[in-house]
Amino acid sequence: MQVRVLGCLLEKERATPDNYPLTMNALLNACNQTTNRNPVVSFNEPTVDSAISNLRAAGLVRVVYSRSNRAEKYRHVLDEALGADDAELAVLSVLMVRGPQTSAEVRARTERLHPFADQAEVEATLVRLAERPDPLVVRLPPAPGQKEARWAHLLAGEVAPDSAASATAPARTPRTDRIEALESALAALTQEVNRLRADHEALAAQLRELVE
């Protein structure tokens, strides 16, 4: 639960920077996406709120307050906590929201998050994360029917090979890509509507003060 929330904050910071930090509603939608997520979950607001509380206590998430927005917004500070660079955070984000993957899958799924030069750079980033004094990722055996080894994050502790095999992400289809694009567009539109509503309410409040 906490990994999914943190992974979504990491992902949206890079994929939709204009809509980051995230409100509770936006974060809830990000966690419950039916594309680009493995496993697919159906969190409710109390569940996400509990995860946020735990992450704040661990010093991994902070609340962003703004006079122009009534709703609290949340941002991660994983870069500060881990001393990780942008490439490492991009890799961690896809592993956190999509489960164990091959290095080729990691590269394909980080295209919108970080401009890796080639496959070798992705693999070097994974090795760098794995060779830390406190490793953040681990190399796993290939999943059944696959030839390539997979990588998994260690932010929630050790990964059992059997459970990792069951978490292999399903294959993408053109329909999946279309749904993903629609969900991204809807999320961006929702954020913009919320921003305009907040601006309108703030302006209305100022006008009432002037009239009074």
Side-chain angles (χ1 to χ4, degrees), residues 35-36 98 109 170-178 180:
T35 57
N36 294 334
R98 301 187 70 154
R109 293 162 179 171
R172 294 181 65 83
T173 65
R175 181 173 180 273
T176 299
D177 291 333
R178 290 196 298 271
E180 174 188 338

Side-chain angles (χ1 to χ4, degrees), residues 5 20-21 37 47-48 63 72 76 88 100 109 114 118 122 131 136 140 146 148 153 159 184 190 193:
V5 169
Y20 182 84
R37 299 289 182 267
T47 298
V48 174
V63 179
E72 294 181 346
H76 75 85
E88 293 169 337
R109 293 162 179 171
H114 181 78
D118 51 32
V122 175
E131 292 182 346
L136 294 177
L140 300 172
Q146 289 187 334
E148 291 186 63
H153 71 81
V159 179
S184 296
T190 300
V193 169

Side-chain angles (χ1 to χ4, degrees), residues 81-101:
L82 299 179
D85 61 28
D86 193 66
E88 293 169 337
L89 291 174
V91 167
L92 285 173
S93 71
V94 297
L95 293 177
M96 291 165 75
V97 300
R98 301 187 70 154
Q101 299 157 63

Side-chain angles (χ1 to χ4, degrees), residues 1 3 11 47 64 68-70 77 107 113 121 126 130 132 155 170 173 178:
M1 176 178 66
V3 167
E11 178 197 60
T47 298
V64 178
S68 61
N69 287 296
R70 291 187 175 182
V77 288
R107 185 187 181 192
L113 310 181
E121 186 180 355
L126 286 163
R132 285 184 167 215
L155 295 174
T173 65
R178 290 196 298 271

Side-chain angles (χ1 to χ4, degrees), residues 42-154:
S42 182
F43 291 163
N44 55 25
E45 185 170 326
T47 298
V48 174
D49 187 60
S50 175
I52 285 290
S53 296
N54 291 333
L55 290 167
R56 290 181 64 188
L60 298 176
V61 166
R62 293 177 185 163
V63 179
V64 178
Y65 300 98
S66 172
R67 299 182 68 179
S68 61
N69 287 296
R70 291 187 175 182
E72 294 181 346
K73 292 188 175 184
Y74 306 97
R75 69 179 182 92
H76 75 85
V77 288
L78 204 57
D79 50 343
E80 300 175 18
L82 299 179
D85 61 28
D86 193 66
E88 293 169 337
L89 291 174
V91 167
L92 285 173
S93 71
V94 297
L95 293 177
M96 291 165 75
V97 300
R98 301 187 70 154
Q101 299 157 63
T102 66
S103 62
E105 289 172 329
V106 170
R107 185 187 181 192
R109 293 162 179 171
T110 52
E111 284 185 347
R112 296 189 305 152
L113 310 181
H114 181 78
F116 286 104
D118 51 32
Q119 185 64 32
E121 186 180 355
V122 175
E123 292 173 357
T125 302
L126 286 163
V127 169
R128 193 162 67 245
L129 289 167
E131 292 182 346
R132 285 184 167 215
D134 293 316
L136 294 177
V137 303
V138 63
R139 191 172 184 268
L140 300 172
Q146 289 187 334
K147 294 182 178 180
E148 291 186 63
R150 296 159 301 144
W151 294 85
H153 71 81
L154 294 173

